[in-house]
Amino acid sequence: MKPAEAARPTKATRTTRAAKKAAGTTPTTAAPRRQARGERRIAQLLEAAAGVFCKSGYAAASTNSIAREAGVSPGTLYQFFPNKEAIAVELGGRLLQRAHEMHGQAFLPENLDRPLPELLDAVLDPLVEFQCENPAFWALMHGSGVPGVALEQEHEELHTGMLARVEGVLARFRPGATPAELDLVANMVLGIFKSSMDLILASEGDQRAAYKAELKAVLLRYLEPMVTTTPPTR
């Protein structure tokens, strides 16, 4: 066979290329489309996992229940995730990223210059809204156990960062407080918030709004006697 003939496409190859071109799936476009389909499938599985984790908790959830919730076969699920922990780690990582972004929005510098009642509104509203819109975050991070060492570390970093933000706010209202005092009060504030979120997430409608209002009232009554100054105007 001559070299030119060896490089010539076979009839089968020409037929395959023609079929792909007719279907709009040339080699240069097929990969991105497959990737987009894969991303949609992953999003579908993560949404289903979020629902299952909220209903049954992480420990009781299974890949079969997640597949059923997503409306796919277990085999399809295993094409993207090897086990339940991998699903939870991916979902938790995405939710933690959103949580970091939300914390930045809640603790904007302009919010910290407000009087205490307005400050509580500005900080707590986005925090509570995030938890209500992403109940799977609470189910994963505050359930029977955080899946995956990396996810546990990221959650601990988020908690530590939140604690530091609260201490920073308190320091503006109590400039003479010691680090130990700020740490004590900040941990109490976070403890009150977490306990209240259990009630808020377990309710809906007017009852949820009432619990949210009570959370603000409790924190105001707890913090107001400690306030020795108003935050300086920038």
Side-chain angles (χ1 to χ4, degrees), residues 183-206:
D183 181 71
L184 175 66
V185 176
N187 273 293
M188 281 298 302
V189 168
L190 289 186
I192 293 169
F193 175 78
K194 290 179 179 179
S195 298
S196 299
M197 281 309 309
D198 286 331
L199 294 169
I200 292 172
L201 290 173
S203 59
E204 296 180 354
D206 292 341

Side-chain angles (χ1 to χ4, degrees), residues 69-106:
E69 183 76 13
V72 302
S73 67
T76 297
L77 182 150
Y78 290 129
Q79 291 178 13
F80 300 94
F81 298 103
N83 50 45
K84 179 180 69 172
E85 181 178 330
I87 299 173
V89 168
E90 178 66 24
L91 176 62
R94 296 189 182 198
L95 291 174
L96 278 168
Q97 178 60 38
R98 295 178 200 168
H100 278 292
E101 294 170 358
M102 178 272 303
H103 285 183
Q105 295 169 4

Side-chain angles (χ1 to χ4, degrees), residues 10-122:
T10 65
K11 181 178 179 180
T13 302
R14 291 195 299 271
T15 302
T16 301
R17 289 179 180 175
K20 288 183 177 181
K21 185 175 182 180
T25 56
T26 61
T28 57
T29 61
R33 291 186 180 182
R34 285 196 300 270
Q35 182 178 1
R37 285 197 298 270
E39 290 173 353
R40 288 194 297 270
R41 181 67 77 189
I42 289 173
Q44 177 188 6
L45 291 168
L46 293 179
E47 182 179 359
V52 172
F53 293 151
C54 288
K55 286 186 290 186
S56 60
Y58 172 74
S62 67
T63 51
N64 285 343
S65 61
I66 294 171
R68 281 196 302 270
E69 183 76 13
V72 302
S73 67
T76 297
L77 182 150
Y78 290 129
Q79 291 178 13
F80 300 94
F81 298 103
N83 50 45
K84 179 180 69 172
E85 181 178 330
I87 299 173
V89 168
E90 178 66 24
L91 176 62
R94 296 189 182 198
L95 291 174
L96 278 168
Q97 178 60 38
R98 295 178 200 168
H100 278 292
E101 294 170 358
M102 178 272 303
H103 285 183
Q105 295 169 4
F107 288 90
L108 289 172
E110 53 265 33
N111 289 342
L112 308 187
D113 293 332
R114 301 184 181 190
L116 183 58
E118 296 180 15
L119 172 62
L120 289 174
D121 285 337

Side-chain angles (χ1 to χ4, degrees), residues 133-169:
E133 290 180 351
N134 302 279
F137 179 82
W138 199 259
L140 282 175
M141 303 304 165
H142 302 281
S144 57
V146 178
V149 175
L151 197 61
E152 185 175 2
Q153 291 175 344
E154 289 182 36
H155 180 241
E156 182 61 30
E157 290 173 4
L158 180 71
H159 174 79
T160 302
M162 182 71 161
L163 194 64
R165 290 178 188 272
V166 175
E167 289 178 3
V169 172

